[in-house]
């Protein structure tokens, strides 16, 4: 069961972006991302995403290895240890990756090719956004079906890192 409240806001956010789904054969597939090896730059939002989930590595054409499931505190610690501005995304940032025309997965796999089931038919990824009035729940998004939910920080889930886009001097 999804968490009410932010669900409607996130859905409106994604639809308002006007992203064309790479999965809808009736439309010309487009993307707002500028791809550079294992990075996906999003000029619209000023963000750079890791194309691979934590635990996987970019081999020049795809993500290899296995996504590492982490509790929320582990994911935050991992991002801090990487440095270079990497962090966990907010729920709104994570939701901006959803492609309304796509299902199973609900994300453009040309940009993020590693999204697949992580456990129990789910591909849940952590955000840093707490669920209002329901501490200690934190929002996550299942990239297989696009559902938004809240979970306790002790649950292990997938992690996709983001950072502010760096501009060349």
């Amino acid at each position: 069961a999804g968490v009410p409240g932010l669900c409607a806001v996130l859905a409106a956010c994604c639809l308002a972006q006007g992203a064309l789904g790479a999965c809808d054969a009736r439309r010309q597939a487009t993307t707002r991302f500028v791809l550079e090896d294992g990075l996906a730059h999003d000029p619209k939002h000023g963000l750079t995403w890791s194309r691979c989930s934590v635990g996987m590595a970019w081999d020049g054409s795809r993500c290899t290895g296995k996504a590492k499931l982490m509790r929320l505190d582990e994911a935050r610690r991992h991002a801090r240890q990487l440095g270079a501005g990497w962090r966990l995304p907010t729920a709104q940032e994570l939701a901006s990756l959803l492609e309304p025309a796509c299902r199973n997965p609900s994300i453009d796999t040309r940009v993020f090719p590693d999204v697949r089931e992580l456990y129990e038919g789910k591909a849940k990824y952590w955000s840093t956004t707490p669920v209002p009035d329901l501490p200690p729940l934190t929002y996550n998004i299942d990239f297989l079906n696009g559902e938004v939910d809240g979970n306790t920080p002790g649950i292990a889930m997938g992690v996709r890192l983001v950072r502010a886009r760096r501009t060349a001097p």
Side-chain angles (χ1 to χ4, degrees):
V3 176
L6 188 65
C7 296
V9 172
L10 293 177
C13 167
C14 293
L15 294 175
Q17 291 176 24
L20 295 177
C23 303
D24 189 339
R26 295 170 298 179
R27 300 187 203 173
Q28 172 104 13
T30 62
T31 183
R32 71 174 185 271
F33 296 98
V34 177
L35 305 181
E36 177 188 351
D37 296 320
L39 302 175
H41 303 292
D42 178 356
K44 180 176 182 177
H45 296 102
L47 299 172
T48 294
W49 293 89
S50 174
R51 294 180 71 187
C52 300
S53 300
V54 168
M56 303 182 87
W58 186 255
D59 76 357
S61 62
R62 63 187 177 95
C63 298
T64 60
K66 185 175 180 181
K68 183 174 182 179
L69 301 180
M70 303 175 118
R71 295 184 319 264
L72 185 57
D73 63 334
E74 293 174 315
R76 285 181 167 144
R77 189 168 42 254
H78 177 77
R80 277 193 308 273
Q81 289 171 345
L82 282 178
W86 288 111
R87 62 179 174 78
L88 271 66
T90 66
Q92 291 84 355
E93 289 168 338
L94 204 56
S96 76
L97 301 181
L98 292 172
E99 288 287 346
C102 299
R103 288 291 176 264
N104 200 24
S106 299
I107 193 169
D108 187 340
T109 56
R110 294 168 306 156
V111 179
F112 304 101
D114 68 331
V115 175
R116 58 186 58 75
E117 178 183 341
L118 297 174
Y119 62 92
E120 299 175 356
K122 306 282 184 189
K124 289 185 169 194
Y125 282 75
W126 279 117
S127 84
T128 58
T129 306
V131 177
D133 302 323
L134 292 174
L137 300 183
T138 301
Y139 284 112
N140 63 76
I141 294 180
D142 183 343
F143 280 115
L144 289 184
N145 60 26
E147 289 181 358
V148 177
D149 199 1
N151 284 96
T152 60
I155 305 281
M157 294 187 203
V159 178
R160 184 163 315 277
L161 299 177
V162 67
R163 67 182 177 200
R165 169 88 193 236
R166 296 179 177 171
T167 55

